[in-house]
Amino acid sequence: MTTGQQAKESRRHKDRALPGPTMRAIVQDGYGSADVLHEARVPRPVIAENEVLVKVQAAGLDRGTWHIATGLPYALRLVYGFKAPRQPVPGLDLAGTVEAVGAKVTRFAVGDQVFGSGRGTFAEYAAARENQLAHKPANITFEQAAVVPVSACTALIALRAGGIEPSQDHPAQGLKVMVTGASGGVGSYVVQFAKAAGAEVTGVASAAKVPMLRTLGADHVIDYTTQDFLDGTEQYDVIIDIAGNPSVTRLRRSLTPSGTAVITGGEEGGSWTGSMDRQLRAVALSPFIRQRLTMIVGTQNAPDLEYLAGLLEAGTITPVIDRTYPLAQVPDAMRYLDAGKVRGKVAITL
């Protein structure tokens, strides 16, 4: 969609008669690149009995939102809509102030500052289920809180799948952990969790992102553009494979005989299923070998968010924000993410 077409579409939305209160939002009427995103006025969400209406102060941009916006891999469209997303306002992460609560909500009241996951968070208001929210720690900003939910919850699940529970006292002491895609949204949290658990952490990233990984506490950093990080020279107890598309054979070569590889993400693979084929092949092989190969899907829930709130309040983890963009510049933020330049996270401010 050209700039002129975007402006015309935006005017069409603005001129449309809308019942009830409205709000500014980023919308998309189909799948595609960042060019399908544009600002419009849309109806304010109506919440269910178990939901909270949040006045959004900041939102987070994550790779899952990119997948939904582009409709890639195509298999996602079976869930989110065939020709266009059923939810025209993108965005999952949010932080803000409770504007209203449903009749069955008991954990929050109007005026509470919260963070978590909602639907259509690239907007002035968003609805979120009570069980996907937590109170925002007072010592962090709305922008910092907004980039936590999806990525940090996924990082927690990945580490637990690797047999490491971050809430215990140094449960990973003596373990060697490798994190691919360590400089990204999920990876930056995995590095911090693994270090807090006492592991010896090796982060894999491009040269430009090496300094960031050192500030996060990585013991070793590998520049994947100049070094084969899965050549078997070093073997790891746990590999959290977040980025790229290394073969299962290469992952196994760098695992200890009884090590665990946790596969999530990866932007390569076919247009229909993306990296899912590789993940399913790994899971199918796992029962027949000593090494453990598994995959995860990120989810968000109140207990994990409350646990993360405690870590944030204690300073155990720190959200890394590369850039912030105002709501109107969400398309630019999406292009920046798509270019693979992000160190940590991108926040959207309102």
Side-chain angles (χ1 to χ4, degrees):
M1 184 182 292
T2 65
T3 303
Q5 288 172 324
Q6 290 178 13
K8 182 178 180 181
E9 182 67 14
S10 181
R11 287 194 298 271
R12 183 175 69 84
H13 279 273
K14 289 179 180 178
D15 293 341
R16 182 188 299 161
L18 298 172
T22 63
M23 63 179 184
R24 292 171 55 226
I26 296 297
V27 300
Q28 63 177 109
D29 301 311
Y31 295 112
S33 68
D35 293 337
V36 304
L37 304 172
H38 56 94
E39 187 177 336
R41 292 205 72 86
V42 300
R44 190 181 298 183
V46 176
I47 58 173
E49 291 183 329
N50 64 338
E51 290 184 329
V52 172
L53 182 66
V54 179
K55 181 175 175 57
V56 180
Q57 303 292 336
L61 175 58
D62 65 283
R63 183 57 71 168
T65 297
W66 178 88
H67 281 294
I68 296 171
T70 60
L72 295 173
Y74 293 130
L76 286 177
R77 303 187 186 195
L78 298 175
V79 177
Y80 293 103
F82 184 68
K83 293 184 178 180
R86 296 185 184 92
Q87 167 56 261
V89 180
L92 300 171
D93 283 338
L94 63 79
T97 306
V98 174
E99 183 80 5
V101 297
K104 294 185 178 179
V105 171
T106 60
R107 295 173 52 235
F108 303 103
V110 173
D112 285 351
Q113 294 183 352
V114 297
F115 75 111
S117 296
R119 62 177 187 270
T121 62
F122 293 167
E124 291 181 303
Y125 295 89
R129 294 205 301 268
E130 180 183 24
N131 62 4
Q132 290 189 322
L133 292 174
H135 288 92
K136 183 186 80 68
N139 63 323
I140 65 171
T141 66
F142 283 110
E143 290 81 5
Q144 289 175 310
V147 300
V148 170
V150 169
S151 293
C153 283
T154 302
L156 269 182
I157 294 169
L159 212 56
R160 288 168 177 163
I164 300 171
E165 176 54 62
S167 64
Q168 299 172 359
D169 291 333
H170 305 296
Q173 195 74 45
L175 293 182
K176 295 175 65 175
V177 176
M178 171 185 276
V179 185
T180 72
S183 62
V186 175
S188 61
Y189 288 113
V190 172
V191 170
Q192 293 182 74
F193 290 145
K195 281 304 299 177
E200 180 183 338
V201 179
T202 297
V204 180
S206 62
K209 299 173 182 179
V210 165
M212 168 198 156
L213 290 182
R214 297 201 184 282
T215 64
L216 293 179
D219 299 286
H220 315 284
V221 181
I222 297 176
D223 174 6
Y224 70 84
T225 65
T226 61
Q227 183 177 344
D228 183 358
F229 58 93
L230 293 174
D231 61 3
T233 302
E234 293 286 339
Q235 291 190 321
Y236 301 89
D237 300 289
V238 180
I239 296 177
I240 309 294
D241 180 34
I242 303 168
N245 198 34
S247 69
V248 174
T249 299
R250 294 185 66 217
L251 285 173
R252 290 190 60 202
R253 186 169 57 193
S254 293
L255 276 178
T256 60
S258 59
T260 298
V262 181
I263 307 173
T264 183
E267 305 313 318
E268 300 178 20
S271 297
W272 286 97
T273 58
S275 63
M276 190 63 68
D277 286 348
R278 180 176 64 107
Q279 298 178 31
L280 293 176
R281 288 197 303 271
V283 171
L285 176 63
S286 188
F288 304 101
I289 59 176
R290 286 183 60 196
Q291 295 164 326
R292 181 167 170 265
L293 310 176
T294 187
M295 59 179 282
I296 66 156
V297 176
T299 58
Q300 301 80 54
N301 57 70
D304 281 350
L305 289 167
E306 289 169 352
Y307 170 62
L308 291 170
L311 295 181
L312 291 162
E313 195 166 27
T316 305
I317 60 170
T318 302
V320 179
I321 298 179
D322 184 340
R323 292 186 181 182
T324 61
Y325 292 82
L327 182 65
Q329 293 180 18
V330 163
D332 292 331
M334 193 72 79
R335 293 183 187 98
Y336 186 60
L337 177 71
D338 193 29
K341 298 178 181 179
V342 179
R343 296 171 176 84
K345 296 286 295 181
V346 168
I348 307 302
T349 58
L350 287 93

Coordinates of all heavy atoms in Angstrom, one line a residue, residues 45-53 100-105 119 127-130:
P45 N -12.7 -0.9 22.8 CA -13.1 -2.2 23.1 C -14.2 -2.3 24.2 O -14.2 -1.5 25.1 CB -11.8 -2.9 23.7 CG -10.7 -2.0 23.1 CD -11.3 -0.6 23.1
V46 N -15.1 -3.3 24.1 CA -16.1 -3.6 25.1 C -15.6 -4.9 25.8 O -15.3 -5.9 25.2 CB -17.4 -3.9 24.5 CG1 -18.4 -4.3 25.5 CG2 -17.9 -2.7 23.7
I47 N -15.4 -4.8 27.1 CA -14.8 -5.9 27.9 C -15.9 -6.9 28.4 O -17.0 -6.6 28.6 CB -14.0 -5.4 29.1 CG1 -14.9 -4.6 30.0 CG2 -12.8 -4.6 28.6 CD1 -14.2 -4.1 31.3
A48 N -15.4 -8.2 28.5 CA -16.2 -9.2 29.1 C -16.1 -9.2 30.6 O -15.4 -8.4 31.2 CB -15.8 -10.6 28.5
E49 N -16.9 -10.1 31.2 CA -16.9 -10.1 32.7 C -15.6 -10.4 33.3 O -15.3 -10.0 34.5 CB -17.9 -11.2 33.2 CG -19.4 -10.8 32.9 CD -20.3 -11.9 33.4 OE1 -19.9 -13.1 33.5 OE2 -21.5 -11.5 33.8
N50 N -14.7 -11.2 32.6 CA -13.4 -11.5 33.2 C -12.3 -10.7 32.6 O -11.1 -11.1 32.7 CB -13.1 -13.0 32.9 CG -13.0 -13.3 31.5 OD1 -13.5 -12.6 30.6 ND2 -12.4 -14.4 31.1
E51 N -12.6 -9.6 32.0 CA -11.6 -8.7 31.4 C -11.5 -7.4 32.0 O -12.3 -6.9 32.8 CB -12.0 -8.6 29.9 CG -11.8 -9.8 29.1 CD -12.1 -9.6 27.6 OE1 -12.9 -8.7 27.3 OE2 -11.5 -10.3 26.8
V52 N -10.3 -6.8 31.7 CA -10.0 -5.4 32.2 C -9.8 -4.5 31.0 O -9.2 -4.9 30.0 CB -8.7 -5.5 33.0 CG1 -8.2 -4.1 33.4 CG2 -8.9 -6.3 34.3
L53 N -10.3 -3.3 31.0 CA -10.0 -2.3 30.0 C -8.9 -1.5 30.5 O -8.9 -0.9 31.5 CB -11.2 -1.4 29.7 CG -11.1 -0.4 28.6 CD1 -10.9 -1.0 27.3 CD2 -12.2 0.6 28.6
A100 N -11.4 0.3 33.4 CA -12.7 -0.3 33.8 C -12.4 -1.8 34.1 O -11.5 -2.4 33.5 CB -13.8 -0.1 32.8
V101 N -13.2 -2.4 34.9 CA -13.1 -3.9 35.1 C -14.4 -4.6 34.9 O -15.5 -4.0 35.1 CB -12.6 -4.1 36.6 CG1 -11.2 -3.6 36.8 CG2 -13.6 -3.6 37.6
G102 N -14.3 -5.8 34.5 CA -15.5 -6.6 34.3 C -16.1 -7.1 35.6 O -15.5 -7.0 36.7
A103 N -17.4 -7.5 35.6 CA -18.1 -7.9 36.8 C -17.4 -9.0 37.7 O -17.6 -9.0 38.9 CB -19.5 -8.3 36.5
K104 N -16.7 -9.9 37.0 CA -16.1 -11.0 37.7 C -14.6 -10.8 38.1 O -13.9 -11.7 38.6 CB -16.2 -12.3 36.9 CG -17.7 -12.7 36.8 CD -17.8 -14.1 36.1 CE -19.3 -14.5 36.0 NZ -19.4 -15.8 35.3
V105 N -14.1 -9.6 37.8 CA -12.7 -9.3 38.0 C -12.5 -9.0 39.5 O -13.2 -8.1 40.1 CB -12.2 -8.1 37.2 CG1 -10.8 -7.7 37.6 CG2 -12.2 -8.5 35.7
R119 N -5.4 -7.8 23.7 CA -5.7 -7.9 22.3 C -5.8 -6.5 21.7 O -6.4 -5.7 22.2 CB -7.0 -8.7 22.0 CG -8.2 -8.1 22.6 CD -9.5 -9.0 22.2 NE -10.7 -8.4 22.6 CZ -11.3 -8.5 23.7 NH1 -10.8 -9.3 24.6 NH2 -12.5 -7.9 24.0
A127 N -8.4 -4.4 25.6 CA -9.0 -5.3 26.6 C -8.0 -6.4 26.9 O -7.2 -6.9 26.0 CB -10.2 -5.9 26.0
A128 N -7.9 -6.9 28.1 CA -7.0 -7.9 28.5 C -7.7 -8.8 29.6 O -8.5 -8.3 30.4 CB -5.7 -7.4 29.1
R129 N -7.5 -10.1 29.5 CA -8.1 -11.0 30.5 C -7.4 -10.8 31.8 O -6.2 -10.6 31.9 CB -8.0 -12.5 30.0 CG -8.8 -12.8 28.8 CD -9.2 -14.3 28.7 NE -8.0 -15.1 28.7 CZ -7.4 -15.5 27.6 NH1 -7.9 -15.2 26.4 NH2 -6.3 -16.3 27.7
E130 N -8.1 -10.9 32.9 CA -7.6 -10.7 34.2 C -6.4 -11.7 34.5 O -5.4 -11.3 35.1 CB -8.7 -11.0 35.3 CG -8.2 -10.8 36.7 CD -9.2 -11.1 37.7 OE1 -10.2 -11.9 37.4 OE2 -9.1 -10.6 38.9

